[in-house]
Amino acid sequence: MKRLPVLCSTVLALAVLGSPALHAEEDWVARSDRNTDEVTELFGRYVPELIGQLGAEGLDEEVTRLGVEVDERLAGEERELLAVLRERRSGEADARVAQDLDILIDLLDRELRLDAAQRAALLPYEDVTETVFRGLRALLDDQVPEERRAAALVRLRRYAGLEEGYAPLTEQAEAYTRSGLDDSALLGPFREEVENDLDRGDRLVAGIADLFREYELDGWEPAYETLRGQLEAYAAFVRSTVLPRTREDYRLPGELYALQLEDYGVDLDLDELVRRAKVSFREIQNEMQALARLLAEERGLPSADYRDVLRVLQGEQLVGEEILTYYTDRIADVEAIIERERIATLPARPLRLRIASDAESAVVQAATIRWPQLLGDGAEVGEIILPLVRPATGDAEEDRGLTDFTSKAAAWSLVVHEGRPGHELQMASILEGGISKARAFYAFNSTNVEGWALYAESEMKPYLPLDAQLVSLQHRLLRAARAILDPGLQRGEITREQAMRVLTEEVVFSQPMAEQEVERYTSRSPGQAVSYFCGYSRLLEIRADAERILGERFDRRAFNDFVLSQGLVPPRLLRRAVMEELVR
């Protein structure tokens, strides 16, 4: 969804903030939650699918509304609430409630600034098919209780405008776009992005029907057929009216790109960050080369170049049912290493993994973690979602396999990054620790989120088999490349062809994987890819200082558990907590 950029990046990135150590004192938590409830109520009226997905009650049947008047009404209500929260903050004596107010104030402030910049620069455009698919998929899922799934039928009818008071979402989206067509100063969407939306539309529409069949809801067919016709008409509108207004240049205006970097938590000077990434890229390559020589000698390979060795490892593919079996075994192995080496404290809940559906592969595009409801009853668990194909778009005539996720050596790093001790452990710490709603829901920082997961990979690397260690370094090389390529593309200093060459020849990822990476930098989420390297660098700096000060008193598991207990705060706040609480 293009609206509510800050909040949507929070939810769609599937990340939140937690501070379990603070849950014991209920007084301040209850006071803080009353402030947060006002923000939740506000956003629940405008993006109910997203807020409901994370556990807010009473929103299962509600749907998004689109339009300039909707944007203006939302901005007005945000400004009013922002003023109220700032007034409360000025008189708040409890430091913990004040910190939660700061979280909410920062969220609303960034939302207003980023949304205003987008509306001033970009032509309104919505991929309605994806919006509908995501909204229904949020309810039609194995971890959603059966009694809640029936709301998907109501939501379907409301998307189609079949209930009183609800206009078809496609009509709203078309009017939304037409409102800006005559303003030549507004940049149209990037052409390739729109073409990809159109190419995958039929797959998502079919995926909606598959969901209703899978969960055996009755009476969905008439509303579905109506909606399908509306989506086909909307696609025709996009082809005839939006495509002519698209732009060939994927670059965002400089101010807008800077705001997106801020939203993702990138707090390093961008030029300095790129310089660091270039040095790191070369150093990682050197480390990979040394490891590749050992593997080549061990296996009797004809070439010891790390690129050639990686291609051999990528040829060792898992197929069919053995994918889940192999991954399940690796989860057990990784948990044993975490316990044995005292890397972090493991949660009591299990970690799940499943293969992405055909339609989900068009939305997910890369392996990810499904975060559970964080305001619900805590029964849901983290779940790694593994896409096996890149759906055909553009010049591709058929789907292509994403072999980067199904090689035996790659399974280790994926479990570590998306699962444990990576993202899933962050989520489990929140659910099992207990925190205020502001920290569990609204305080998102991609730099911390992805920095921790990349740090988790580095913590685990020494204990993995040699082939898995090489792939772990390959993934770290990718994160350094992202910090070079994303800004380079957005600044016009690097071409798409150069980026593809780096990703396929130096990082050694498949063509489909490299394509979705470049899409990430140019259209899907410019700026987000930079947060991995930034967060990893910041966390290593904090740990180095803690080790230097504590000396032999430094305890790795205590440090890692403490970092997890602080949630996903920006690096500067994490540093202060480590130095003032853990080190002192």
Side-chain angles (χ1 to χ4, degrees), residues 289 291-312 470:
Q289 191 55 56
L291 193 55
R293 289 186 178 278
L294 295 177
L295 273 168
E297 181 178 347
E298 179 184 278
R299 295 188 174 210
L301 301 179
S303 172
D305 186 277
Y306 81 83
R307 302 163 186 84
D308 295 328
V309 175
L310 279 173
R311 292 186 182 101
V312 171
L470 184 61

Side-chain angles (χ1 to χ4, degrees), residues 56-73:
E57 296 182 355
L59 299 175
D60 286 350
E61 297 181 353
E62 296 303 322
V63 297
T64 292
R65 298 174 191 260
L66 302 172
V68 173
E69 70 287 350
V70 176
D71 289 348
E72 293 174 348
R73 189 166 63 249

Side-chain angles (χ1 to χ4, degrees), residues 205-278:
V205 172
I208 293 170
D210 291 340
L211 287 172
F212 280 99
R213 292 190 191 99
E214 179 181 354
Y215 291 98
E216 300 179 341
L217 272 69
D218 295 327
W220 58 273
E221 291 89 349
Y224 170 77
E225 290 301 325
T226 298
L227 180 64
R228 184 172 67 170
Q230 293 169 350
L231 292 173
E232 289 174 355
Y234 182 71
F237 160 74
V238 171
R239 288 189 178 91
S240 65
T241 306
V242 178
L243 275 178
R245 273 295 307 270
T246 55
R247 68 186 195 273
E248 299 294 336
D249 188 351
Y250 47 77
R251 291 177 296 174
L252 291 174
E255 177 192 3
L256 187 51
Y257 183 60
L259 285 171
Q260 293 200 176
L261 287 170
E262 179 187 346
D263 180 32
Y264 290 123
V266 176
D267 64 346
L268 278 170
D269 174 79
L270 193 55
D271 291 330
E272 172 63 20
L273 185 145
V274 172
R275 285 193 293 269
R276 290 191 189 189
K278 289 177 178 178

Side-chain angles (χ1 to χ4, degrees), residues 26 40 59 109 133 225 249 266 288-289 378 434 494 500 516:
E26 297 291 345
T40 299
L59 299 175
D109 177 68
F133 177 81
E225 290 301 325
D249 188 351
V266 176
M288 292 174 71
Q289 191 55 56
I494 295 174
M500 287 294 296
Q516 70 87 19

Side-chain angles (χ1 to χ4, degrees), residues 49-61:
E49 300 97 329
L50 296 178
I51 303 302
Q53 188 174 356
L54 289 189
E57 296 182 355
L59 299 175
D60 286 350
E61 297 181 353

